Amino acid sequence: GQNIDQPTEMTATEGAIVQINCTYQTSGFNGLFWYQQHAGEAPTFLSYNVLDGLEEKGRFSSFLSRSKGYSYLLLKELQMKDSASYLCAVRDPSGGSYIPTFGRGTSLIVHP
Amino acid sequence: KAGVTQTPRYLIKTRGQQVTLSCSPISGHRSVSWYQQTPGQGLQFLFEYFSETQRNKGNFPGRFSGRQFSNSRSEMNVSTLELGDSALYLCASSLDQGASSEQYFGPGTRLTVT
């Protein structure tokens, strides 16, 4: 089976740093994705980690530890437009599919 | 390059009716996946099509079906609609179905069942 957990909601202040955690329990592993979804819009790709370590892309970074079944998305210099839902998704090919399974998402609210 | 398009964007149906949603993937993409998104359950996988064949299916009743055409466009159909089918239906396309393939999502179809 597959189980992906993320906090339901987080709040942070403009200009600050926030870390959104994701833990997973899957039979197999072939990559972890982070997506951003603004209200009423489609999810957009943020990052993909398949090896342990930190991937940095501008203000956003994503970290993966396969042995711990753990990832986080780090958002620096928060802006109001970062208020959105952040979805963690894991690819588990053990069932013969490369379709990622999504967590329920973390709603991030950035306030002034 | 045009993104993933979905039609219609909004739809209101009554219980018992059936509905067909359409998805046009990014040009050159052969894999199309469908998801249902609700506030309570998040993004749940419905099915995936690759080269006109259903390759994977999620845990949804047989009322949910789909198909893919030779030009990679895909449709999904929901018959005998129930109130619980009200959701955002998202389509995602990718180049292939391999591990390195990233998914690109369309804007979704918001279905309301009354």
Side-chain angles (χ1 to χ4, degrees):
Chain A
Q2 299 166 331
N3 190 34
I4 300 170
D5 288 316
Q6 338 177 203
T8 303
E9 186 175 292
M10 299 182 70
T11 59
T13 306
E14 193 176 15
I17 299 173
V18 71
Q19 177 175 311
I20 302 174
N21 296 325
C22 172
T23 58
Y24 63 90
Q25 293 174 309
T26 56
S27 301
F29 178 83
N30 200 298
L32 185 144
F33 298 83
W34 283 97
Y35 283 84
Q36 180 192 60
Q37 185 178 24
H38 285 101
E41 298 182 12
T44 55
F45 171 82
L46 286 177
S47 68
Y48 171 65
N49 294 66
V50 66
L51 299 175
D52 291 349
L54 187 68
E55 295 275 347
E56 297 187 76
K57 193 185 290 186
R59 294 189 299 115
F60 293 4
S61 303
S62 57
F63 172 83
L64 175 69
S65 169
R66 288 172 296 171
S67 62
K68 295 181 180 178
Y70 168 69
S71 173
Y72 67 72
L73 180 69
L74 192 71
L75 292 75
K76 304 175 187 174
E77 300 168 19
L78 279 172
Q79 301 175 10
M80 299 296 290
K81 68 177 182 179
D82 297 330
S83 292
S85 182
Y86 290 87
L87 308 173
C88 170
V90 176
R91 210 172 237 160
D92 174 5
S94 62
S97 168
Y98 281 104
I99 300 299
T101 299
F102 284 80
R104 295 190 180 188
T106 298
S107 178
L108 174 65
I109 300 168
V110 180
H111 54 84
Chain B
K1 191 184 259 192
V4 180
T5 58
Q6 293 186 245
T7 57
R9 292 294 311 279
Y10 302 92
L11 205 51
I12 300 174
K13 291 284 189 178
T14 55
R15 275 180 298 175
Q17 287 187 311
Q18 67 93 28
V19 68
T20 299
L21 312 181
S22 180
C23 170
S24 292
I26 291 172
S27 178
H29 284 195
R30 294 195 293 163
S31 174
V32 174
S33 300
W34 287 90
Y35 293 85
Q36 181 195 67
Q37 188 175 35
T38 58
Q41 297 297 319
L43 256 174
Q44 292 191 291
F45 171 69
L46 281 157
F47 25 65
E48 184 217 4
Y49 287 87
F50 181 79
S51 292
E52 301 179 66
T53 302
Q54 186 181 89
R55 290 302 180 109
N56 297 287
K57 192 176 191 303
N59 294 323
F60 278 83
R63 301 185 296 109
F64 292 80
S65 63
R67 58 178 175 167
Q68 186 180 34
F69 302 95
S70 58
N71 61 358
S72 293
R73 189 176 72 84
S74 177
E75 289 181 347
M76 68 162 280
N77 185 276
V78 188
S79 62
T80 321
L81 283 166
E82 301 177 359
L83 294 179
D85 297 333
S86 294
L88 179 67
Y89 290 88
L90 290 163
C91 162
S93 80
S94 57
L95 201 56
D96 57 36
Q97 57 173 177
S100 62
S101 200
E102 175 191 325
Q103 290 185 307
Y104 296 83
F105 284 86
T109 294
R110 173 74 61 185
L111 172 65
T112 302
V113 182
T114 62

